[in-house]
Structure formats: structure tokens, C-alpha cells
């Protein structure tokens, strides 16, 4: 696990670089490094989620498993006067995410080291976004869905991107156990975007 991105302190040599990409009309620059997810460029799944997600102005948003920050930073730019918290277990990723928040002048955004919802346990969010760490295993991914159900405000939404061959059918089944409405709102290149609303009572 030491060399994997879903770890607290990646045990690989640094390979810092910058990438430039346009997301939702914003021209963004990101610092990346070895030991973080998709270091060579914003992965297709994240791009699809970014292009599909709906972020109301003023929303309180949580990005779970933020990596170096493309999803959360774009959300912060869309949310305008909103507040975006970006969490990741990977210290290197969070350091990069905070640097990228500053680099891209993302208002109201912050990045913190947190194993899923650990450091935001008392908070509720209007929108939760996740490109879950599939390689960490189904138990971790499903725990993110469960945590999201516990941390949404009334009327809040969870947005998930997942690849069909990496567990989209089982992910949808799990989401349907937690939410009244699970919409398959986008599909492309084997990736699916789920929008989940209405937390079911336990």
C-alpha cells in the first residue's frame, strides 16, 4: 500500500509537474506529483463528473477523495459565494490541492487531510462529490456512500462517478439502499454519473 495513492504518506519519490486544462469554461493550472491519483492529467471520470455536476451558488460542498483538487476547485468556482471542503487521506494530495486552490484563486475552498468523513464528522453539506478510490476496495467505496448519506442536508445531493467495469452495478445497488432517488444522469466511455437524492430512513 505504501506506493498507492490511497495511503496517508505515499512512499515514492517526488515528480512535481504542472498541467493545464479547461473545465467548465475555466482555464486551470494544477500542480501534480508522484503518489497521487492521475498525476499525468485530469482523468476522464473526473472530467465527466465535473462537466455533469450541478453546483448551486452559495452551496456548501464536500469533495471526498479530492486528490490534487480538480473536482473541488471547479465546484468552488461554480459555487461562487459557497464553501467547498476537499478531503483526502493522502497528505501529499492535500498539500497539492491547497496549492492548487491558491493557484486558481478558488474562493471559499480548503483542503484537509481526512480519512473520508473523519475530520468533518459534525458537518452537513448541500452537495457531496466523489470519484471514489476503487482500488481501495468495495468496503471503502461503500463506506463513502454511507457517510455521504449521513452528511447531506435535507434536499442535498450526492454525485458519484464510477466505471462500469470497476463496480458501477454494485455501486448503484448500494446507493439505492441509501437514497430514494438514484439517477443515472450521464454515461460515456464506460463511466457513469449517479445523482442521489432523498436519504432513506434507517
Amino acid at each position: 500500500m505504501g506506493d498507492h495513492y490511497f495511503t496517508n504518506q505515499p512512499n515514492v519519490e517526488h515528480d512535481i509537474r504542472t498541467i493545464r486544462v479547461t473545465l467548465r469554461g475555466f482555464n486551470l493550472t494544477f500542480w501534480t506529483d508522484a503518489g497521487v491519483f492521475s498525476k499525468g492529467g485530469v482523468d476522464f471520470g473526473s472530467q465527466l463528473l465535473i462537466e455533469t455536476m450541478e453546483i448551486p451558488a452559495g452551496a456548501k460542498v464536500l469533495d471526498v477523495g479530492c486528490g490534487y483538487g480538480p473536482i473541488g476547485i471547479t465546484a468552488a468556482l461554480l459555487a461562487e459565494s459557497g464553501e467547498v471542503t476537499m478531503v483526502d487521506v493522502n497528505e501529499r494530495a492535500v498539500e497539492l490541492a491547497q496549492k492548487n486552490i491558491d493557484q486558481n484563486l478558488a474562493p471559499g475552498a480548503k483542503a484537509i487531510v481526512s480519512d473520508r468523513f473523519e475530520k468533518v464528522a459534525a458537518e452537513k453539506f448541500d452537495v457531496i462529490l466523489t470519484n471514489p478510490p476503487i482500488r481501495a476496495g468495495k468496503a471503502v467505496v461503500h463506506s463513502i456512500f454511507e457517510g455521504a448519506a449521513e452528511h447531506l442536508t435535507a434536499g442535498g445531493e450526492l454525485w458519484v462517478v464510477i466505471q462500469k467495469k470497476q463496480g458501477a452495478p454494485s455501486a448503484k445497488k448500494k446507493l439505492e439502499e441509501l437514497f430514494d432517488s438514484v439517477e443515472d444522469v450521464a454515461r460515456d466511455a464506460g463511466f457513469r454519473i449517479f445523482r442521489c437524492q432523498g436519504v432513506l430512513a434507517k
Side-chain angles (χ1 to χ4, degrees), residues 53-169:
M53 65 189 188
E54 297 174 7
I55 311 295
K60 185 175 180 181
V61 181
L62 178 67
D63 176 8
V64 181
C66 66
Y68 54 81
I71 296 171
I73 287 170
T74 307
L77 295 170
L78 292 170
E80 298 176 351
S81 60
E83 176 186 320
V84 177
T85 302
M86 299 155 55
V87 299
D88 203 296
V89 72
N90 184 327
E91 290 182 359
R92 188 177 293 186
V94 169
E95 185 177 340
L96 289 166
Q98 189 60 57
K99 189 173 182 178
N100 289 329
I101 287 168
D102 299 336
Q103 168 80 21
N104 294 287
L105 305 176
K110 64 181 178 182
I112 59 175
V113 177
S114 177
D115 185 353
R116 288 156 280 183
F117 300 87
E118 177 188 22
K119 298 293 177 61
V120 293
E123 297 188 55
K124 298 274 190 177
F125 300 88
D126 303 310
V127 180
I128 298 178
L129 309 164
T130 189
N131 182 352
I134 299 301
R135 287 174 59 188
K138 184 183 289 188
V140 170
V141 173
H142 286 190
S143 75
I144 291 173
F145 300 161
E146 291 165 351
E150 295 171 0
H151 288 84
L152 280 174
T153 58
E157 297 183 343
L158 168 66
W159 291 76
V160 178
V161 60
I162 196 161
Q163 202 168 6
K164 183 177 180 181
K165 68 180 182 181
Q166 292 183 329

Side-chain angles (χ1 to χ4, degrees), residues 13-28:
E13 290 187 14
H14 288 281
D15 181 21
I16 297 172
R17 61 183 74 181
T18 59
I19 57 174
R20 292 174 175 80
V21 63
T22 300
L23 300 169
R24 294 293 283 266
F26 300 108
N27 296 318
L28 305 174

